[in-house]
Amino acid sequence: MDEGIPTSPETPGDAVPAVGKRAEEMTPAVPSGAPGEEPHKAQGVREASEAGTEGDFALEPPAPAADPAEAPQQPRHAADPYSTPPYGRPGPWAPAPPVQHPASPTAPQDQAGHDLWTAQAPLQQAGTAESAEVTEVTERRRTRTRRTIVVGALLLAAVSGAAGGLVGAYLERTGGLEAVQLPQPGPPPPGRPPGSAAAIAARALPSVVTLHVSGAGEQATGTGFVLDTRGHILTNNHVVAPAVSGGGRISVTFSSGATADATVVGRDSCYDLAVVQVRGVRGLTPLPLGDSDDVRVGDPVVAIGAPFDLPGTVTAGIISATERPITSGGDGADGSDVSYVDALQTDAPINPGNSGGPLLDFHARAVGVNSAIRAADGTGGRDGGPAGSVGLGFAIPINQAKRVAEELINTGRATHPVIGITLDMHYTGDGARIDDKAADGGPAVTAGGPGARAGLRAGDVVTGLDGLSVHSGEELIVRTRAHRPGDRLNLIVERAGAEKRLTLVLGSSDRN
């Protein structure tokens, strides 16, 4: 038992705290410093009592409450207000027993022998350096945790965005997650609009053929088209010329792929036209013929041929000009193969191999026979030459070709309209000048011929024909050959500085 803690006379040997009394009231005041007294213990009892009352320290559980039936009653003190019930006896609400000094050897210990009171003291004070350290470490951990969460969220957002973009791009490209299946083409339309290049080609191709000619050490490829069911085919003279002069061979290939040999029926170098015939071939489809006099500049046209031996090639363009006087050929030593054509000009591509092929209008009718091109270097020539198309192609008008073809089929020869004069081909002035004499030394104007009857004389210059200007001797020949024998021409002539108007009726000649 500690001294200074009163004991109850009814319970000797047991230390029972004075319930309801403060320590300073229960312990008499003793002067400080008196020997044999223990003021520090009284102070310790007061502190312990206050601690138990205020709840600052609860180092030892309160003593168990005594049974009121068994515990002896303490004497009342009327003068003491704290001695009246319920403060007169201990109960479960009584303050904890007095706390011994930390240095007391009787202080309670745990199983390991540690002082329970002293061990718990540092934990009772808030705001210490150790607590601040713990708080700072905890805060740093929380900060790192928040940063980790933020960075993870950003990475997740970036990955999700990239994945979403890839998925979106895939869906946009393919239209869905399923395998791509392209739509099947529907049934083709029953036909093409009339007048389109496709419609024209579909109608004309069965009538167009390819000619392969060999002879006299030469080979040539050209085109032709069927005139009738008897097997007559119209083409250019320069295409079949190697076979005629050298006893060669002409092979005709149809659009179906069938081939047949052909023979020459007749040809004319002045018009650069020829007719060949195949025999024993059935099911031929003649190509309808149009009217070249009805053609206008700007009309759409289609050309079909075998340029560079590519059969069935179709090109399209327009009529660029009409009545374009051109000359072609002249490769022979005597120049007898020169052709004079009052041609239709077109920008439909024409290349070597197109010779003899048809030039078609928008009704799929032949309005011309492709014959010559203008090369890039400015030279003119037949399209069998090495030059390619520059958009300047020329075709023999079908009206002229039809007349010549009929004559070649019926008689084997073609007639030419003539004036009966000899022209000065070296004249450089404007117009066609009549030479002073013929090549054999005879008169330049044939006696009794069409020109003599019309009143033409040597030295006259023809400047106009049927309202069209004439600028050279070649142009006068072209304009004349565009007519038939017996046609009447109106001429404008300059003689000795004066202008005269004459009328002339064309004669005929079958000289090739």
Side-chain angles (χ1 to χ4, degrees), residues 383-480:
D383 66 354
S389 172
V390 293
L392 294 174
F394 303 96
I396 302 169
I398 197 64
N399 289 358
Q400 180 175 336
K402 178 182 177 182
R403 180 184 69 83
V404 173
E406 290 173 346
E407 291 182 349
L408 292 176
I409 293 172
N410 293 327
T411 66
R413 301 181 66 89
T415 59
H416 308 144
V418 295
I419 298 177
I421 58 176
T422 301
L423 296 175
D424 182 3
M425 304 305 292
H426 300 288
Y427 179 69
T428 58
D430 188 40
R433 180 178 180 273
I434 301 175
D435 206 345
D436 296 330
K437 59 181 179 179
D440 58 0
V445 178
T446 304
R453 292 193 299 267
L456 292 176
R457 300 179 184 178
D460 287 348
V461 178
V462 179
T463 59
L465 188 154
D466 287 343
L468 298 176
S469 298
V470 176
H471 302 288
S472 65
E474 289 85 355
E475 190 168 347
L476 179 59
I477 296 174
V478 169
R479 301 292 187 202
T480 301

Side-chain angles (χ1 to χ4, degrees), residues 304-331:
I304 300 179
F308 300 101
D309 203 12
L310 297 173
T313 298
V314 178
T315 57
I318 62 170
I319 294 294
S320 303
T322 60
E323 298 181 335
R324 184 77 77 189
I326 65 167
T327 59
S328 62
D331 299 329

